[in-house]
Amino acid sequence: DQQVKQNSPSLSVQEGRISILNCDYTNSMFDYFLWYKKYPAEGPTFLISISSIKDKNEDGRFTVFLNKSAKHLSLHIVPSQPGDSAVYFCAVQQGAQKLVFGQGTRLTINP
Amino acid sequence: DVKVTQSSRYLVKRTGEKVFLECVQDMDHENMFWYRQDPGLGLRLIYFSYDVKMKEKGDIPEGYSVSREKKERFSLILESASTNQTSMYLCASSRKRQVLWLAKNIQYFGAGTRLSVL
């Protein structure tokens, strides 16, 4: 039973436009949500996070939105740049020490 | 700067071989993790360790074992490699989360080992 789902395996966006990546989760008890970014031949790197008591967190071009009633998380990138092309994973904190990751969405930014 | 180092970037092994994947972190983190990444399946937790000599099974531990003899080093062992273990293996580490609510716990990853079992 998948606790975290990213239903879009890939997304293609024009440079300068907004990229929106989505993530759904099943357990309303999750308390922290994270986004990671992964380039080919590199490990994932932490990008941005949000706690369950907030509905929005912003860091430069990146904003994460949390809709607890819908159990839905989204990452907005504005404006999108070619260097944003990567695989993005959402993750939820499970228990004290573990993260559970989604399947990932491959974002391609076209010039 | 945070550093998690995996000993090999690429490995090619034969079916039935015993395979060791090594991971070292220099951040004095208590927690260490092994994941595998497969297309369409994301990152799946194989094993994790929250202290020296301590280990806990993740979601897909079958066919794997681990060893943590020192705090900085976490090894993943494939006792008898099979073709379905061909994958990208990622090691991560994190601090032990002391506050168990509303405190984020960032995991730091190595670059990965791409293992091919022929």
Side-chain angles (χ1 to χ4, degrees), chain A:
Chain A
D1 184 26
Q2 280 191 294
Q3 300 184 70
V4 184
K5 286 186 183 178
Q6 293 176 257
N7 291 316
S8 299
S10 62
L11 177 67
S12 187
V13 175
Q14 199 160 7
E15 183 178 357
R17 307 293 289 266
I18 183 170
S19 296
I20 301 176
L21 296 96
N22 294 302
C23 179
D24 296 302
Y25 60 95
T26 57
N27 189 337
S28 58
M29 294 303 292
F30 291 138
D31 67 316
Y32 232 102
F33 306 86
L34 299 86
W35 284 94
Y36 278 77
K37 177 178 179 179
K38 185 183 185 300
Y39 291 119
E42 293 184 16
T45 55
F46 169 72
L47 183 60
I48 192 170
S49 64
I50 189 168
S51 75
S52 60
I53 61 170
K54 296 190 175 183
D55 52 22
K56 177 182 174 181
N57 186 30
E58 199 169 347
D59 183 3
R61 296 185 298 113
F62 302 91
T63 304
V64 57
F65 293 93
L66 178 62
N67 182 335
K68 289 183 286 293
S69 60
K71 298 195 187 77
H72 181 81
L73 187 68
S74 63
L75 174 67
H76 293 210
I77 307 173
V78 182
S80 301
Q81 298 175 355
D84 296 330
S85 295
V87 177
Y88 290 80
F89 293 97
C90 68
V92 300
Q93 286 190 172
Q94 181 189 48
Q97 312 299 337
K98 294 191 288 185
L99 294 177
V100 178
F101 288 86
Q103 301 94 319
T105 296
R106 182 177 301 279
L107 176 65
T108 303
I109 306 301
N110 303 307

Side-chain angles (χ1 to χ4, degrees), chain B residues 65-80:
Chain B
S65 62
V66 290
S67 172
R68 190 154 180 215
E69 297 296 320
K70 294 186 177 180
K71 190 175 186 180
E72 67 270 18
R73 187 179 296 269
F74 193 33
S75 303
L76 180 69
I77 303 153
L78 287 66
E79 295 289 343
S80 176

Side-chain angles (χ1 to χ4, degrees), chain A residues 2 28-32 34 36 38 40-46 49 51-53 87 89 93-104, chain B residues 9-10 31 33 35 37 40-43 45 48 50 56-57 88 90 94-97 100-112:
Chain A
Q2 280 191 294
S28 58
M29 294 303 292
F30 291 138
D31 67 316
Y32 232 102
L34 299 86
Y36 278 77
K38 185 183 185 300
E42 293 184 16
T45 55
F46 169 72
S49 64
S51 75
S52 60
I53 61 170
V87 177
F89 293 97
Q93 286 190 172
Q94 181 189 48
Q97 312 299 337
K98 294 191 288 185
L99 294 177
V100 178
F101 288 86
Q103 301 94 319
Chain B
R9 295 300 301 272
Y10 301 94
N31 298 332
F33 306 83
Y35 295 88
Q37 181 195 358
L41 298 177
L43 303 178
L45 181 64
F48 85 99
Y50 48 90
E56 192 168 311
K57 291 180 180 178
M88 168 69 84
L90 291 159
S94 73
R95 294 204 177 284
K96 182 176 256 181
R97 188 161 78 141
L100 299 184
W101 185 249
L102 298 180
K104 71 183 170 199
N105 192 12
I106 297 172
Q107 291 184 14
Y108 298 89
F109 284 82

